Amino acid sequence: MPRTPLIAGNWKMHGLTDALGFFDALAGSGAVSGGRELLVCPPATLVAAAVHAARNHGIRIGGQDCHTESSGAHTGDISAAMLRDAGADYVIVGHSERRADHGETDDIVRAKAEAARGAGLTPIICVGETLADRESGREEDVVGRQLAGSIPSGFGPADYVIAYEPVWAIGTGRTASADDIAAMHAFIRSQVPDGEGVRILYGGSVKPENAREILALDDVDGALVGGASLKVESFVAIAESA
Ligand code: PGA
């Protein structure tokens, strides 16, 4: 089964209703054709409106996080079922900002991935080492452990997407080198069951200037883009590089 490239935008905690014009501009660009999948993960407040704006253009919408339960007494949280109900197709789980800011462990991430799949969403499971991990040569140990702990047993290649995001490359303008990305993506593919069919995205300061080189790497099946996904011009340029 060919791995369709996935270009995903993660808006993080950015975007008010006036940001919805993004979807008309994206829909009118060349990025929407060409055998690639486009996904935007806006803040939860915009998911339903983004689904409405993107619906007829083949642009998919995702959440940035979900709870492990489908409903319950969890003030402020959003379930996978709610995202699905709002029209989302994907949800990011285990982003390093969630792991750091909210103490999310691999066990929690795995439960969220299971909840997402159970609700009909495709989870994008994020992994990545810190700078200290890399400088001490432990990046494969750390990522290997995150993969083993965060991917539910029984998941097949079509059930999820992996995003490799070295923590030190996120929002820093510092990208991993092509050699380091290639090595880590090959490692990840070797670690997961039926890895040949699993889509593995790279994330961390992806921008129009570096997208082509990164997306051309054999084991890179797309990108998870933060800052550069907020402007339609840069998101389109990145997508057109895939
Ligand atoms: P960045 O964020 O592109 O701004 O580095 C990527 C991410 O956190 O998903």
Side-chain angles (χ1 to χ4, degrees):
M1 206 178 72
R3 302 187 302 260
T4 305
L6 173 61
I7 304 299
N10 171 13
W11 283 6
K12 309 192 180 185
M13 199 171 72
H14 297 284
L16 304 176
T17 27
D18 64 359
L20 292 167
F22 180 99
F23 295 100
D24 281 339
L26 181 59
S29 76
V32 287
S33 56
R36 59 180 89 84
E37 215 179 329
L38 298 181
L39 166 68
V40 178
C41 301
T45 47
L46 293 184
V47 165
V51 166
H52 184 73
R55 180 173 290 144
N56 296 324
H57 306 293
I59 302 161
R60 295 181 188 276
I61 302 299
Q64 298 176 9
D65 176 52
C66 66
H67 197 272
T68 57
E69 304 291 329
S70 54
S71 63
H74 303 289
T75 302
D77 280 317
I78 288 177
S79 73
M82 291 167 178
L83 290 170
R84 184 69 189 142
D85 184 54
D89 289 309
Y90 285 85
V91 62
I92 300 167
V93 296
H95 189 282
S96 62
E97 288 154 13
R98 300 285 319 172
R99 291 178 186 260
D101 297 353
H102 299 270
E104 293 190 5
T105 62
D106 291 334
D107 286 344
I108 293 172
V109 175
R110 188 175 69 247
K112 289 184 173 196
E114 253 161 5
R117 200 70 204 112
L121 298 174
T122 302
I124 299 176
I125 302 174
C126 301
V127 296
E129 81 285 357
T130 64
L131 189 56
D133 296 329
R134 180 159 284 272
E135 284 178 341
S136 57
R138 284 183 289 126
E139 65 275 10
E140 289 193 353
D141 289 353
V142 169
V143 170
R145 220 175 318 115
Q146 289 174 336
L147 292 169
S150 306
I151 300 171
S153 60
F155 264 27
D159 292 323
Y160 68 111
V161 172
I162 295 173
Y164 166 59
E165 300 201 301
V167 176
W168 48 273
I170 294 176
T172 58
R174 215 178 135 181
T175 327
S177 71
D179 285 353
D180 286 347
I181 297 172
M184 183 59 86
H185 278 237
F187 170 73
I188 291 171
R189 202 173 294 294
S190 76
Q191 296 295 296
V192 297
D194 300 320
E196 270 313 304
V198 176
R199 288 190 290 177
I200 307 174
L201 315 183
Y202 170 79
S205 298
V206 175
K207 43 190 182 240
E209 298 75 37
N210 59 25
R212 191 167 298 279
E213 182 187 22
I214 294 169
L215 291 167
L217 298 169
D218 279 349
D219 284 313
V220 174
D221 304 310
L224 183 54
V225 185
S229 73
L230 295 172
K231 287 218 161 64
V232 74
E233 301 77 27
S234 45
F235 189 65
V236 165
I238 291 166
E240 288 180 340
S241 309

